Amino acid sequence: MSHAANDRPPREPAQPRRRALVASAGVASLFAGAGFYRRWTAGDRLEAGITLHAQPQAMPALAFSNEQGRLTGLADFGGRVVLLNIWATWCGPCREEMPTLDRLQAALGGPAFEVVALSVDSGGLAVVQTFFKQIGIRHLHPYLDAEHDAMTLGGNGIPLTLLIDGQGHELGRKLGPAKWDDATVVELIRGLLPEQAQRRTQQP
């Protein structure tokens, strides 16, 4: 259909928002259809807002790009407890919780723990890096789901956050935003770290 038939000019300013909504719906449908994990099993419990599994669960081998554009993955964080956050810059709740993830990394990050913020943005790493700079993220490294492996994690959308042990098993997960620097969350994660790391990160 031509523009003449419509008799109204296209509304250019609405395009970015429309693309964001389409992208959001697309990612949500991919996650909903993946079905890799059981969402709830007998013995699972809720602690500090995170659903903790009765038994650690196996995870797929996730590969993604680091801030230099090189391929890396969860295997490269072996031996560390990881909080894997699946997010995007067009996701409002993701944007709101990002500073709390940055503060969590500042509090506990090191040889025993890492927050891995894995973006599913289609605009590439530059979009993520610009957003991090705009809101003053200082402790997180940008990662991009260039291999589209995040869809194998299941869930119904983003933000989706997984708690992973040093052997690469999923200990628990949360769908939706959280205040990740809340004292209950910090203490839960600290309790999973080796004793030396617990002492190092202990609040004065």
Side-chain angles (χ1 to χ4, degrees):
M1 182 181 292
S2 68
H3 290 309
N6 196 333
D7 200 32
R8 286 187 299 179
R11 299 174 60 188
E12 292 298 330
Q15 291 301 318
R17 180 173 181 273
R18 185 177 299 116
R19 283 196 295 268
L21 290 173
V22 170
S24 177
V27 170
S29 64
L30 285 172
F31 276 85
F36 186 89
Y37 288 102
R38 298 165 293 175
R39 291 188 176 87
W40 188 270
T41 58
D44 285 1
R45 71 186 193 278
L46 195 64
E47 187 172 338
I50 303 171
T51 300
L52 297 177
H53 305 310
Q55 298 293 333
Q57 296 187 5
M59 288 191 60
L62 293 184
F64 42 86
S65 296
N66 64 17
E67 56 195 317
Q68 287 81 38
R70 300 191 184 96
L71 199 62
T72 184
L74 278 183
D76 293 316
F77 295 90
R80 273 184 278 186
V81 174
V82 169
L83 191 76
L84 175 67
N85 178 256
I86 311 299
W87 72 289
T89 58
W90 42 258
C91 163
C94 303
R95 296 170 68 96
E96 291 174 9
E97 72 173 359
M98 195 56 61
T100 72
L101 288 163
D102 191 50
R103 291 192 289 269
L104 175 63
Q105 175 65 19
L108 299 183
F113 174 73
E114 185 81 13
V115 175
V116 176
L118 179 57
S119 168
V120 295
D121 277 279
S122 60
L125 274 170
V127 173
V128 180
Q129 291 167 328
T130 297
F131 172 67
F132 275 12
K133 182 178 294 186
Q134 286 174 344
I135 66 170
I137 296 299
R138 297 188 298 120
H139 305 284
L140 299 177
H141 297 285
Y143 295 99
L144 185 70
D145 184 32
E147 302 297 303
H148 306 291
D149 282 354
M151 70 179 66
T152 65
L153 296 175
N156 292 313
I158 56 174
L160 175 66
T161 307
L162 279 64
L163 183 59
I164 302 165
D165 68 15
Q167 289 70 50
H169 298 112
E170 181 184 328
L171 299 177
R173 62 171 51 200
K174 178 176 177 59
L175 179 62
K179 191 173 184 295
W180 293 105
D181 60 340
D182 183 85
T184 58
V185 177
V186 173
E187 288 308 309
L188 170 64
I189 296 175
R190 182 182 283 119
L192 299 172
L193 306 182
E195 185 176 346
Q196 183 178 2
Q198 290 187 33
R199 291 197 300 269
R200 183 184 63 82
T201 62
Q202 194 68 43
Q203 298 292 334

